[in-house]
């Protein structure tokens, strides 16, 4: 077996053994060829997430869709929604009303109900997309009125941080937003997914309530960009 496959198999075995029940493992598969994605599926991976529309489309036919659910986790341009609307089962990265409206429009046209997560800019970073924490509730209530989409939770990419204590506050803040909105039982909102945690921080994220971790290099090895 080639070395990368051995690595994927070992990585998945370790992660799946330490992931608590109820936490979904998503393999962040950007740059990873379909052959290795499908191998990961043979090893038990059930969900992958792609970041770029063009890359997703180029790999789509070769991905083993019997075994894998495909999510979209990257920044999504409004004009590309139409290409993925019937190919993914969850969009993690709704970060504007315009995008939500376009997903709604395209879903309705296809007769679909599209599950989405709202991306929260939990660190309030200017360089990152996402809804500011203080605006999350109002935003979710607003898009919950759109046809063809259903809010299923929130997603975030916490800022990189060396001071562990400060970062824990970030995870706590995120979990509080999730719990508070869930408690309100907003119509057409089913707050069930808190998507946070990547290769470097998933254990901390899970300790603080994450129930969907998106792991890329920790499964597939370091990314080779070309
Ligand atoms: C690439 C990516 C990940 C995974 O990152 P790793 O550090 O390789 O685990 C998770 N979420 C998003 C949105 C990503 O783009």
């Amino acid at each position: 077996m080639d070395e990368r496959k051995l690595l994927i198999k070992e990585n998945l075995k370790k992660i799946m053994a330490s992931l608590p029940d109820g936490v979904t493992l998503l393999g962040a598969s950007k740059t990873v060829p379909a052959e290795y994605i499908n191998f990961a599926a043979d090893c038990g991976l059930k969900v992958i997430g792609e970041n770029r529309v063009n890359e997703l489309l180029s790999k789509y036919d070769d991905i083993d869709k019997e075994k894998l659910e495909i999510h979209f986790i990257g920044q999504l341009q409004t004009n590309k929604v139409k290409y993925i609307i019937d190919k993914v089962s969850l969009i993690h990265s709704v970060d504007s009303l315009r995008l939500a409206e376009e997903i709604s429009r395209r879903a309705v046209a296809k007769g679909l109900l599209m599950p989405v997560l709202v991306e929260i800019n939990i660190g309030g970073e200017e360089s990152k997309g996402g809804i500011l924490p203080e605006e999350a509730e109002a935003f979710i209530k607003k898009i919950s009125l759109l046809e063809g989409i259903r809010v299923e939770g929130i997603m975030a990419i916490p800022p990189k941080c060396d001071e562990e204590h400060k970062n824990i506050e970030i995870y706590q803040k995120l979990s509080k937003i999730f719990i508070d909105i869930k408690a309100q039982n907003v119509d057409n909102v089913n707050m069930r997914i808190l998507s946070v945690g990547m290769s470097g921080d998933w254990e901390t994220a899970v300790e603080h309530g994450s129930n969907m971790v998106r792991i890329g290099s920790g499964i597939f090895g370091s990314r080779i960009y070309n």
Side-chain angles (χ1 to χ4, degrees):
M1 204 188 293
D2 84 36
E3 250 172 68
R4 191 172 193 185
K5 287 186 177 170
L6 284 174
L7 177 78
I8 291 171
K9 191 174 176 182
E10 281 308 304
N11 284 342
L12 275 172
K13 204 164 127 186
K14 269 187 232 153
I15 296 167
M16 291 192 299
S18 48
L19 213 59
D21 283 348
V23 180
T24 302
L25 173 62
L26 174 153
S29 50
K30 57 180 175 263
T31 79
V32 180
E35 179 189 350
Y36 294 98
I37 295 176
N38 293 340
F39 177 76
D42 294 337
C43 299
L45 186 67
K46 295 194 164 54
V47 184
I48 58 157
E50 284 286 336
N51 282 68
R52 305 182 64 147
V53 171
N54 293 350
E55 186 180 344
L56 167 58
L57 296 178
S58 74
K59 292 195 269 193
Y60 185 75
D61 285 345
D62 298 323
I63 291 173
D64 185 347
K65 292 173 286 289
E66 304 254 298
K67 294 200 183 114
L68 289 166
E69 214 182 286
I70 305 174
H71 293 183
F72 193 81
I73 62 174
Q75 201 172 25
L76 180 55
Q77 285 173 279
T78 309
N79 63 356
K80 294 199 170 163
V81 171
K82 57 178 178 284
Y83 302 118
I84 63 158
I85 193 75
D86 55 357
K87 295 186 174 60
V88 300
S89 59
L90 183 66
I91 297 173
H92 286 231
S93 42
V94 171
D95 60 358
S96 74
L97 183 59
R98 242 183 97 228
L99 177 60
E101 285 171 344
E102 175 65 4
I103 295 170
S104 161
R105 200 164 72 84
R106 295 288 175 179
V108 168
K110 293 251 179 201
L112 301 170
L113 181 62
M114 189 72 220
V116 302
L117 306 182
V118 170
E119 181 169 353
I120 309 290
N121 186 348
I122 194 66
E125 296 167 284
E126 273 187 30
S127 61
K128 274 189 195 152
I131 304 297
L132 291 173
E134 57 274 23
E135 291 162 9
E137 189 181 315
F139 180 79
I140 287 173
K141 285 180 176 165
K142 193 182 267 179
I143 70 168
S144 73
L145 303 172
L146 297 171
E147 270 180 81
I149 71 175
R150 188 166 65 208
V151 178
E152 302 249 308
I154 57 179
M155 176 270 221
I157 304 171
K160 285 219 162 45
C161 190
D162 303 327
E163 303 163 60
E164 197 175 324
H165 180 66
K166 208 170 158 203
N167 236 17
I168 283 177
E169 280 172 17
I170 292 260
Y171 296 99
Q172 288 170 338
K173 190 170 163 188
L174 197 60
S175 150
K176 185 173 185 316
I177 294 171
F178 179 68
I179 290 166
D180 286 352
I181 298 175
K182 188 189 178 110
Q184 295 193 31
N185 286 315
V186 182
D187 272 355
N188 199 35
V189 172
N190 179 17
M191 289 295 276
R192 61 178 191 93
I193 299 170
L194 176 53
S195 165
V196 58
M198 316 203 291
S199 297
D201 70 336
W202 68 268
E203 282 151 311
T204 313
V206 166
E207 269 171 44
H208 294 89
S210 168
N211 58 22
M212 190 172 284
V213 294
R214 309 178 310 268
I215 304 183
S217 47
I219 295 174
F220 298 107
S222 31
R223 282 183 282 279
I224 306 147
Y225 288 98
N226 48 74

